[in-house]
Amino acid sequence: MKEGNRKVDEQAREVISSILLFEVSDPRLQLVTITGCSVSFDRAYCDVFYTAEPERYASVEAAFQAAKGHIRSLMAKQLAWKQAPELRFHLDETVDAAEKLGKHLSEEKARQAAFDEAAEQGGEL
């Protein structure tokens, strides 16, 4: 990926995050985090990656589908691009995967500590 494209992606992420924070009143989109954007080379498309609480995935997806035209028009006003990209929203599952991995690592650490303690005492598990 070229440096210029990273700047465009970050600019899109910042603008969309700001729009969600200050200009969209749909309560389903509160506490949604935009984790990244990927703007196509010709700026025709912008893939927007987001995360929210797992129990809200369906309602957040529906809210984005309902608001994407409004978000796109607000984005066009804030960016000096020749065209406003079509927005495509995607759930970012890496956050959930990281949380699962962290949980498994914590469980393994506790299991290993119990094993080490038993070994020091000469006992068995």
Side-chain angles (χ1 to χ4, degrees):
M1 183 183 298
K2 294 185 177 183
E3 181 64 30
N5 211 26
R6 271 191 243 143
K7 289 180 182 178
V8 168
D9 293 347
E10 183 59 22
Q11 186 180 23
R13 189 195 64 76
E14 288 176 3
V15 167
I16 293 171
S17 294
S18 175
I19 288 169
L20 290 179
L21 189 60
F22 299 113
E23 300 185 49
V24 174
S25 59
D26 190 331
R28 297 174 296 177
L29 294 176
Q30 291 179 350
L31 300 176
V32 171
T33 301
I34 303 301
T35 58
C37 288
S38 180
V39 180
S40 65
F41 182 75
D42 61 359
R43 297 184 185 178
Y45 298 95
C46 178
D47 291 309
V48 181
F49 299 92
Y50 67 89
T51 188
E53 294 87 10
E55 62 274 1
R56 297 180 49 222
Y57 287 165
S59 66
V60 169
E61 181 180 357
F64 272 129
Q65 291 308 311
K68 72 179 174 181
H70 180 61
I71 294 169
R72 182 181 183 193
S73 69
L74 292 170
M75 185 178 178
K77 291 177 185 176
Q78 294 184 28
L79 295 172
W81 298 353
K82 290 182 181 179
Q83 66 179 7
E86 179 183 329
L87 300 176
R88 301 183 293 199
F89 293 93
H90 308 280
L91 176 63
D92 186 348
E93 296 177 358
T94 59
V95 174
D96 292 338
E99 286 179 4
K100 282 183 183 178
L101 182 60
K103 179 182 174 192
H104 290 301
L105 289 173
S106 294
E107 290 171 355
E108 180 59 25
K109 185 177 178 182
R111 189 187 71 75
Q112 186 64 41
F115 179 79
D116 291 346
E117 184 178 321
E120 285 178 8
Q121 295 175 358
E124 293 183 20
L125 285 176

